[in-house]
Structure formats: C-alpha cells, structure tokens
Amino acid sequence: MNVKPYKYLGFILVMYALFAADTVAQNTPRPCPNIVITGPAGISAPGDEMTFTVSVAGPSEKQFNYSWSVSGGTITYGQGTAAITVHSNIAYAGKIIEASVFIRGMPVGCPDIASESVPIDYALPTDCFTDEFGNLDPDDVRLRYDSFFIELLNNPSHLGVIILNLADDEKMDKGNPRVALILGHIKFREFDIKRITLQFERIDYVNTKLTRIPPGGRMPTCNDCTMVKASDL
C-alpha cells in the first residue's frame, strides 16, 4: 500500500503544539501572593495598644504560619497569627516602632517578609479630670461614682483614680467610711476593682476628686500622698 509521507503531519504538529503548551504552563511560575500589612493610622500615643494585621491574597494552596517581631514595645497578643497587639510605653515617646512578620509557607521565590512602622508621639497623655466634690449625702456620692464608672467603661483602657483629701483623723483604709463607701459601691456595681486606685493626701479640707489616666499617662502629682490599689484594701 502506498502511504503518502505527509498524511499524519498535521496531526503530529497539533499534538506537539498541545504538549509544548502544557509543558510551558507547568514550567511558568505562578504569580506570587500579595502581602499587605497594616498598622494604626496616624501617630500613636505612648502607652497605646497598637494592632498590626497582615493579609496574603493571591494564588496559593498552602497554609501560612506567621512569626512576628517588633523594634520596640511588647507583643501582648497574637504571636503566630495574622494579627498582633503591641503595647508601647513612655520610653518610646518620639520614636518609631516597626512590626515585621515572616510568613512561612510562601511559594518558592516569593517574598515572605513584610513590615509596617508607626510613629509614637512625643507628648505624654495627661489625666482626664472628671469630677470633684466635698461633703455630700452618701446617695449623692454614689451617683457621682456611677457617672465615673460609666466614663471608665466608655474608656476601657483607662485607669480610674479617686483622690481623697483627708482630715487629720481620717484613716487610709476601709475603716474610713468614705473608703468603705467606695469599696462597697464598686462591689455593688460589679465594677472591675483592679481598674481603681486610691490616692490619699492630707490637706486642710476634705474633698474627693475623680480622674482617669489614659495608657502611658502619669498619675496626678501631690506633695505627700499615698497611692493604694483598691484591690489591696
């Protein structure tokens, strides 16, 4: 039988083209996943809790693991996950804190490190004055404390300070009726007693001041005072 030499040439060329295209597709690197890391917007205050988050978008079939490091402050939550919380303090006022993450599981040849920086303000937070009062009926005093607790609940990172100016014969413990009222009302309202600090100072008149301290803020100054955590009384 006489077979024409080019009878199957078209079929062979088509199959070769398909094989070549498949080989090229297999050998062409896939695009790298896109890494995006975000931190707090603007300038943070000394003592702020800062959150850094990383996201990896794009073609990948692998599970990622995250290892974080920071140039300042302390990682308080989230190490090993896609989001961390970093706590700064007064020592970092005016500096820049950088958070870096190493991502395990990225495709070979793809970037696996990202970082984000946050400037820390020079200005230190000051205390936020809330209320001041003298001798009042106990029920009126409780209403003042209720308002104070609400302010603290609205500012969950703030510390509450109750400044008690004492007469010469007043005690600095729960044997003092003013202190007993405070402790009793904290318990009655089921407020977190660890967030309250009492400051005792002896001056020539009796009154009470309520203030809250933001993260990194300094306690109210006084000449000769005693600071006591409410939880220690």
Side-chain angles (χ1 to χ4, degrees):
M1 182 174 63
N2 187 18
V3 179
K4 294 181 179 181
Y6 300 109
K7 180 177 180 181
Y8 299 105
L9 180 60
F11 173 76
I12 293 172
L13 290 175
V14 170
M15 294 300 295
Y16 177 79
L18 292 174
F19 173 79
D22 182 64
T23 301
V24 169
Q26 292 182 20
N27 294 329
T28 299
R30 300 177 66 184
C32 290
N34 186 37
I35 304 173
V36 177
I37 181 170
T38 57
I43 300 175
S44 295
D48 276 356
E49 293 280 353
M50 301 175 292
T51 299
F52 294 87
T53 304
V54 64
S55 62
V56 182
S60 179
E61 299 174 354
K62 296 183 178 180
Q63 184 70 32
F64 300 118
N65 294 312
Y66 307 94
S67 179
W68 292 87
S69 62
V70 291
S71 63
T74 304
I75 299 175
T76 57
Y77 180 78
Q79 180 63 276
T81 71
I84 59 169
T85 300
V86 178
H87 178 73
S88 66
N89 57 44
I90 294 175
Y92 297 99
K95 299 181 181 180
I96 293 176
I97 290 180
E98 181 179 74
S100 301
V101 59
F102 170 58
I103 306 171
R104 294 184 177 88
M106 295 290 285
V108 176
C110 290
D112 54 9
I113 296 176
S115 62
E116 175 72 350
S117 299
V118 174
I120 307 300
D121 199 356
Y122 281 97
L124 297 176
T126 57
D127 60 295
C128 305
F129 175 77
T130 298
D131 195 7
E132 181 176 3
F133 53 90
N135 287 322
L136 293 175
D137 181 84
D139 286 339
D140 291 334
V141 174
R142 292 185 183 94
L143 289 176
R144 302 286 187 121
Y145 288 137
D146 281 341
S147 298
F148 186 47
F149 294 163
I150 290 172
E151 276 206 36
L152 290 171
L153 289 173
N154 290 334
N155 296 274
S157 62
H158 288 205
L159 172 69
V161 179
I162 301 176
I163 303 171
L164 296 174
N165 294 326
L166 303 177
D168 290 338
D169 58 347
E170 285 191 276
K171 298 179 180 180
M172 297 184 186
D173 55 30
K174 56 187 177 182
N176 184 330
R178 295 167 65 196
V179 176
L181 188 150
I182 294 169
L183 299 177
H185 202 59
I186 290 173
K187 183 177 181 180
F188 176 71
R189 292 301 186 196
E190 297 182 345
F191 189 79
D192 184 2
I193 195 171
K194 294 180 180 178
R195 293 184 61 194
I196 300 295
T197 295
L198 303 184
Q199 177 176 299
F200 298 105
E201 184 175 9
R202 295 195 184 278
I203 55 176
D204 56 358
Y205 63 94
V206 174
N207 81 332
T208 302
K209 295 179 182 178
L210 309 178
T211 189
R212 49 186 171 85
I213 311 297
R218 294 177 176 174
M219 288 291 185
T221 58
C222 59
N223 295 324
D224 184 17
C225 62
T226 301
M227 305 289 292
V228 181
K229 294 181 180 179
S231 57
D232 292 338
L233 293 172

